[in-house]
Amino acid sequence: MEVILLERIGRLGQMGDTVRVKDGYARNFLLPNGKALRATKENKTRFEAMRAELETKNLAAKGEAGQFATKLDGKTLVVVRQASETGQLFGSVSPRDIAGMLTADGAEVSRSQVVLNAPIKSIGQYKVPIALHPEVEVIVTINVARSAEEAERLARGEDITVRREQTEEDVVAEATEKAAEALFDPEVAEKRRGKVDEHDGGAEVAAADAEPKRAKAKGKKKAKEKDAETE
C-alpha cells in the first residue's frame, strides 16, 4: 500500500513523502495513529492544504520533546529482580515496565516510545533509547540487579555474575592457600602445589619423590652382595 507520511517515520521517510509499506503495517499502525494517509489523489490534495499546519505543530512538538530530553537523557533506573546465580532473570523487564518506572519517576512515557527489541532477561546494565519525538531520541540506562547493593556494584563496572559463581568457602580456601605458600621458598611452594590433589597428579609427584630412595636402597644391596663375593 502507498501512503503519504504526515510526520517523519524512522527509516521510511520525511513528512510529505509517499512511500510503499506492507498493508498490515499501514492498517494497524500508520493510518489509525494519524501518521499517514492513503496515497489517493484526494488525500494528496488534502495533505498539501494542511502541510503548513502540520509543519507548525511538528516544530512545536519537537521543541517540547527537546526540553524534556535534557531532563531525561542519561538517566539511570535501578530494577531489582530475582535471578539465578548465572544472572538469568526469573521473568523479564519489558518496555511496559520501563515506561511505568519512568512515568512513576515523573517522566510520562508510553510503552511505544521505549525502543526495546526484546525484553531484558538477564542481570546487567542496558542502554535503552526513548523516542520522545520522531526527531528526538534519548538514552536511559536500565540497571537490572538482584539488590540495590548489586546495582551499585554493576554501576562501578563489576561483573557480579562471575563473582557469584565462586562461593565464600572457595574464597576462604584460596586465601588460606596463598597465605600458606607465602611461608615457603618459591621452589618449595611450587612442589607443594603439585602435591595438593592426588587425582590431578599428586600420585605422580609422590612416586617421583620415592624413586631416589628406592635407587639408594638398591645400591646398598648390590654393595653388600659384592662384599660377600669378595670374602
Side-chain angles (χ1 to χ4, degrees):
M1 180 188 298
E2 283 195 342
V3 296
I4 304 168
L5 298 181
L6 300 181
E7 62 180 51
R8 178 179 178 276
I9 304 292
R11 298 179 182 178
L12 284 182
Q14 304 292 329
M15 179 188 296
D17 290 348
T18 299
V19 297
R20 181 177 292 278
V21 299
K22 292 182 177 180
D23 290 355
Y25 182 56
R27 293 195 184 99
N28 299 327
F29 179 70
L30 295 177
L31 300 179
N33 287 293
K35 296 179 180 294
L37 295 171
R38 288 177 179 271
T40 63
K41 184 177 180 180
E42 294 76 11
N43 281 338
K44 288 180 180 179
T45 301
R46 177 186 172 191
F47 171 76
E48 289 303 326
M50 60 191 299
R51 177 189 284 271
E53 181 182 355
L54 288 174
E55 289 179 345
T56 299
K57 288 182 177 180
N58 178 67
L59 189 61
K62 182 179 177 181
E64 292 178 4
Q67 293 179 356
F68 187 38
T70 58
K71 300 178 181 179
L72 194 59
D73 194 24
K75 190 178 186 63
T76 298
L77 291 177
V78 174
V79 185
V80 177
R81 290 285 191 274
Q82 291 185 335
S84 67
E85 290 294 318
T86 59
Q88 293 299 308
L89 300 183
F90 300 140
S92 65
V93 179
S94 67
R96 183 190 296 275
D97 295 327
I98 295 172
M101 287 182 289
L102 286 171
T103 300
D105 198 44
E108 189 171 348
V109 172
S110 67
R111 179 181 60 177
S112 62
Q113 290 178 302
V114 180
V115 185
L116 191 64
N117 295 327
I120 297 171
K121 295 185 177 181
S122 60
I123 295 295
Q125 289 196 105
Y126 300 85
K127 302 293 184 182
V128 179
I130 307 296
L132 300 175
H133 179 271
E135 299 176 55
V136 179
E137 185 176 277
V138 297
I139 300 295
V140 298
T141 299
I142 307 300
N143 187 335
V144 185
R146 284 165 284 218
S147 65
E149 179 186 359
E150 280 193 347
E152 291 178 0
R153 289 164 58 191
L154 275 174
R156 293 196 297 267
E158 292 186 30
D159 189 342
I160 61 175
T161 301
V162 172
R163 291 174 64 88
R164 279 273 180 167
E165 290 176 353
Q166 187 177 37
T167 64
E168 293 184 6
E169 290 79 4
D170 292 336
V171 174
V172 173
E174 183 178 340
T176 302
E177 181 66 21
K178 288 182 178 179
E181 288 182 0
L183 301 176
F184 296 93
D185 290 334
E187 184 177 353
V188 177
E190 185 66 27
K191 289 182 179 180
R192 186 174 183 275
R193 280 195 296 270
K195 296 179 181 180
V196 171
D197 191 347
E198 290 186 359
H199 298 290
D200 294 331
E204 288 81 355
V205 174
D209 288 343
E211 185 62 30
K213 295 180 181 179
R214 288 197 295 267
K216 186 176 180 180
K218 188 175 181 180
K220 288 182 177 180
K221 182 178 180 181
K222 286 184 177 180
K224 289 182 179 181
E225 291 175 351
K226 188 175 181 180
D227 291 340
E229 290 176 359
T230 302
E231 293 178 354

